[in-house]
Amino acid sequence: MNALSVQELTKTYGNGVQALKGIDLAVEEGDFFALLGPNGAGKTTLIGIVTSLVRKSGGQATIFGYDLDRELEAAKSCIGVVPQEINFNQFESPETIVINQAGFYGIPRPVARVRAQLYLKQLQLWDKRKHASRALSGGMKRRLMIARALMHEPRLLILDEPTAGVDIEVRRSMWEFLREINQRGTTIILTTHYLEEAETLCRNIAIIDHGRIIERDRMSNLLRRLHTETFVLTLRHPLQQAPLLPAYTAKLVDEHTVEVEISMEQNVNDLFARLSELGIEVISMRNKVNRLEEIFIRLVEKGAAA
Amino acid sequence: MSTVVERATRRPLALGRARWIGFETILIREFQRIVRIWPQTIVPSAVTATLYLVIFGSVIGRRIGTMDGFAYMVYIAPGLIMQAVIINSYNNVVSSFYGAKFGRHIEELLVSPLPSWIIVSGYVAGGIMRGAMVGLVVSGVWMFFTRLPVLHPTIIVAAAVLTSVTFSLGGFLNAMFAKSFDQISIIPTFVLTPLIYFGGVFYSINTLPVWARHLSLVDPILYMVSSFRFGFLGVSAVGVWDAFTIMIVAVTVLFLAAILLLDRSSGIRE
Ligand SMILES: Nc1ncnc2c1ncn2[C@@H]1O[C@H](COP(=O)(O)OP(=O)(O)OP(=O)(O)O)[C@@H](O)[C@H]1O
Ligand SMILES: [Mg+2]
């Protein structure tokens, strides 16, 4: 079954901006799905329509088979959403916010109290449960919105840049947490500008640009399509010019750094053999950019050129 | 795996229960808000009531003498209680709902499965709650210092509740349309206050010249205040049943308008 399925979804805002130009997309139940795209691509608009915060201009959407136009109540009850912008009452305490949210989904207070404790603890907000939430730090506010979205135990969790402005340590623990929730059966759709995050977490991916899906594939397939990779080598001894490496494209960035582009048909062993011959000592090596990032940039640039 | 409402959509009773919990939660949240900001919600009307009491009770009241056969203090008491009910019901809904729109936490309700009529009812119930709380405080203050008869308690409660619902819905519509904080204070200042003052809160329209009396009859607040006063004193400037008919029609029309607007969500959803 599809957790989410949209057909020919379009959206034109009141000011004439065409944010979505016919989106077709299906996300399977149980998936961990990345929805990527540059700023203004239409990700938040798409999520807005699915969570009924934005009215669509055309097309259809179903959530676990419930049509948004005809079975809105059932469809809405399946979704938990973590929005891009803070949207809780900053004068209320975290505990009040999550318990009331559960109430809006028809969950009795005693049950909501138990869950509030569970999720606020898991998201490390339990100590702050009685504070006014405007006094939380930015990262804590994001975590509060995650806790809030989980209170009615939705089958589909949609997160719109949940890790924006969150420190590395918390981000990693959030990844762990989301993975766990996904393993327990919740379908997750995630947007993020940290492509490393999408690469580590997600199994399937769609890239949206200028209101259109420009790519939709399994993450592993997409990464395999990367034909060349650029490595950055740090050298022990300074060089005055780029080393002579026939078959590879090498560039001297500064006297201790060389960038080498390697295609999939070549291998890294030969490169190192050649470097040894030249007496060049490499002390470390890394990818120039994350692999998904490289594909992403190419796709989006191609889209912009077309 | 499935969610509460999703399971409930297959069982009408359970769905009703889920909606009831949602309604209750909105009301609880409104109560929490009223209590959290009590200096803004409860205190002003209590202070105003006391001021009116001092001014009309000991300064001007005695010089005015009687109105429709009652001491002036006794005559205006129901009007002033009603004024507090109207203003507080209206303000509660307009500021809470506009605040939710402005602070974006209205989205918490919009993404939830609650249907529009439950959301409107929840906010209206919050308005009634605040109207009742302040109305009781003001009544308490006045009853302490005057001997106010209570002839028809049922009419008193019915008129107060219908008035409160009317103005809660008014506040809701105002908040739906408002695009700035200015726009939620314009209506109370320029529409509500004049209607209250010309609605027979401070005087009996029987004391007016004929043309002014006829003009007063287009003011809906006249009917609310008059029927409410009838419940206490047994006198009314207009027919009590006419008054109730008008209130019921107003409530119905405003309620439908509020649901329709929220469904179409003009001013909230893009
Ligand atoms: N309320 C609105 N009114 C008018 N135009 C809007 C509105 N919201 C978004 N847009 C426009 O719609 C387009 C898509 O915006 P959207 O917020 O969906 O992008 P996004 O992919 O979420 O971007 P980001 O990564 O920056 O969050 C943009 O051109 C934006 O300016
Ligand atoms: Mg966005």
Side-chain angles (χ1 to χ4, degrees):
Chain A
M1 172 160 359
N2 281 331
L4 168 73
S5 155
V6 304
Q7 287 100 35
E8 293 170 41
L9 210 59
T10 58
K11 173 67 191 179
T12 308
Y13 280 105
N15 59 2
V17 173
Q18 241 189 311
L20 300 181
K21 300 169 185 160
I23 300 272
D24 291 278
L25 186 65
V27 175
E28 259 182 50
E29 182 166 11
D31 204 352
F32 203 137
F33 191 91
L35 181 64
L36 307 182
N39 287 140
K43 305 178 293 295
T44 302
T45 303
L46 177 57
I47 292 173
I49 291 174
V50 170
T51 54
S52 60
L53 289 175
V54 174
R55 277 174 299 168
K56 59 183 161 63
S57 306
Q60 272 165 5
T62 54
I63 312 293
F64 291 100
Y66 297 113
D67 189 303
L68 270 190
D69 293 320
R70 285 180 285 110
E71 298 145 299
L72 186 61
E73 248 176 291
K76 276 171 154 184
S77 78
C78 299
I79 307 176
V81 62
V82 179
Q84 184 171 4
E85 318 257 357
I86 309 292
N87 74 342
F88 48 77
N89 186 341
Q90 309 236 5
F91 295 100
E92 291 175 349
S93 68
E95 194 175 33
T96 307
I97 289 169
V98 297
I99 290 179
N100 283 345
Q101 186 69 13
F104 300 148
Y105 285 83
I107 290 156
R109 272 189 177 246
V111 180
R113 282 203 198 91
V114 175
R115 287 192 193 168
Q117 179 169 3
L118 176 71
Y119 291 118
L120 289 177
K121 276 189 177 157
Q122 284 189 349
L123 287 149
Q124 294 133 44
L125 289 167
W126 185 242
D127 298 341
K128 307 265 178 193
R129 66 186 181 280
K130 303 263 186 227
H131 293 219
S133 50
R134 69 175 176 285
L136 298 179
S137 78
M140 292 175 191
K141 286 178 181 162
R142 301 229 150 256
R143 280 181 276 151
L144 172 55
M145 295 201 293
I146 298 181
R148 184 183 63 178
L150 292 169
M151 287 297 287
H152 63 290
E153 308 198 324
R155 300 167 68 183
L156 169 63
L157 179 64
I158 304 181
L159 305 116
D160 198 350
E161 298 190 29
T163 51
V166 169
D167 74 44
I168 299 176
E169 203 182 329
V170 175
R171 186 178 310 162
R172 302 226 169 230
S173 79
M174 255 157 78
W175 291 357
E176 221 27 69
F177 182 69
L178 292 177
R179 242 194 224 114
E180 229 177 88
I181 289 180
N182 177 246
Q183 272 159 12
R184 271 187 268 136
T186 308
T187 312
I188 298 183
I189 299 178
L190 173 86
T191 85
T192 177
H193 291 292
Y194 301 111
L195 299 187
E196 182 205 351
E197 179 168 298
E199 191 177 331
T200 3
L201 290 174
C202 301
R203 282 188 289 283
N204 285 290
I205 180 172
I207 298 178
I208 175 171
D209 191 20
H210 295 294
R212 285 203 175 85
I213 303 267
I214 56 170
E215 193 56 68
R216 166 79 176 85
D217 208 342
R218 294 193 66 81
M219 184 71 78
S220 49
N221 289 346
L222 192 65
L223 293 175
R224 222 175 293 135
R225 273 197 265 157
L226 197 60
H227 285 296
T228 65
E229 267 187 89
T230 306
F231 291 99
V232 180
L233 311 181
T234 309
L235 314 175
R236 185 172 304 281
H237 305 294
L239 285 183
Q240 296 317 312
Q241 60 191 54
L244 208 56
L245 300 170
Y248 300 97
T249 324
K251 194 173 99 195
L252 193 67
V253 180
D254 61 47
E255 55 185 18
H256 283 283
T257 316
V258 176
E259 279 180 15
V260 185
E261 199 178 312
I262 301 176
S263 78
M264 284 296 170
E265 294 83 48
Q266 298 172 312
N267 64 55
V268 192
N269 300 41
D270 292 344
L271 171 66
F272 278 99
R274 176 73 189 144
L275 286 168
S276 301
E277 273 172 34
L278 294 171
I280 296 172
E281 205 179 325
V282 177
I283 53 177
S284 76
M285 172 173 107
R286 62 180 171 85
N287 276 79
K288 183 173 181 193
V289 290
N290 160 281
R291 294 184 304 160
L292 181 57
E293 208 160 299
E294 189 134 4
I295 296 176
F296 179 86
I297 289 166
R298 284 181 202 180
L299 284 168
V300 170
E301 271 172 0
K302 203 169 72 191
Chain B
M1 198 176 74
S2 64
T3 57
V4 188
V5 174
E6 198 190 354
R7 278 194 304 274
T9 45
R10 289 177 231 124
R11 305 206 329 265
L13 268 181
L15 182 63
R17 182 168 148 72
R19 288 173 173 174
W20 172 254
I21 291 172
F23 169 80
E24 226 176 34
T25 307
I26 300 177
L27 190 57
I28 291 172
R29 194 168 77 165
E30 287 306 294
F31 180 74
Q32 290 165 338
R33 179 179 168 277
I34 293 170
V35 173
R36 188 174 60 236
I37 54 172
W38 62 272
Q40 290 173 51
T41 50
I42 305 293
V43 174
S45 286
V47 171
T48 319
T50 317
L51 289 176
Y52 279 130
L53 192 76
V54 173
I55 292 171
F56 292 117
S58 48
V59 186
I60 310 177
R62 263 171 234 137
R63 300 198 181 185
I64 296 179
T66 62
M67 186 85 61
D68 282 356
F70 290 92
Y72 188 60
M73 278 271 287
V74 172
Y75 186 82
I76 62 166
L80 290 174
I81 297 168
M82 206 50 145
Q83 181 185 23
V85 170
I86 290 172
I87 290 178
N88 282 282
S89 305
Y90 195 92
N91 278 346
N92 199 65
V93 180
V94 82
S95 48
S96 175
F97 194 75
Y98 184 73
K101 214 169 100 170
F102 184 79
R104 303 186 64 158
H105 45 277
I106 189 61
E107 293 180 2
E108 291 179 341
L109 283 167
L110 296 181
V111 300
S112 84
L114 290 178
S116 298
W117 63 271
I118 293 272
I119 298 178
V120 174
S121 305
Y123 274 94
V124 167
I128 298 175
M129 182 166 55
R130 163 112 164 253
M133 285 162 84
V134 176
L136 286 174
V137 169
V138 173
S139 308
V141 171
W142 277 76
M143 289 201 164
F144 195 76
F145 292 101
T146 61
R147 210 171 293 131
L148 191 61
V150 178
L151 288 184
H152 310 289
T154 332
I155 290 188
I156 294 176
V157 173
V161 170
L162 282 172
T163 306
S164 186
V165 173
T166 307
F167 286 96
S168 298
L169 288 166
F172 190 90
L173 290 171
N174 187 174
M176 287 284 293
F177 285 111
K179 294 204 162 29
S180 68
F181 277 100
D182 291 343
Q183 292 178 359
I184 67 170
S185 61
I186 283 176
I187 305 268
T189 314
F190 294 103
V191 180
L192 224 46
T193 312
L195 286 181
I196 290 173
Y197 285 5
F198 290 118
V201 169
F202 296 101
Y203 53 81
S204 162
I205 60 163
N206 294 327
T207 60
L208 298 176
V210 177
W211 66 268
R213 205 180 305 166
H214 283 302
L215 196 62
S216 298
L217 291 177
V218 301
D219 183 347
I221 290 182
L222 175 70
Y223 299 88
M224 299 167 178
V225 169
S226 298
S227 52
F228 189 62
R229 181 175 285 134
F230 179 83
F232 286 95
L233 309 179
V235 297
S236 173
V238 297
V240 173
W241 295 119
D242 292 350
F244 274 98
T245 310
I246 288 173
M247 288 192 274
I248 288 168
V249 170
V251 164
T252 313
V253 171
L254 291 174
F255 190 67
L256 292 177
I259 295 174
L260 199 76
L261 273 172
L262 186 60
D263 265 340
R264 296 237 222 102
S265 47
S266 323
I268 305 181
R269 291 180 170 101
E270 292 293 340

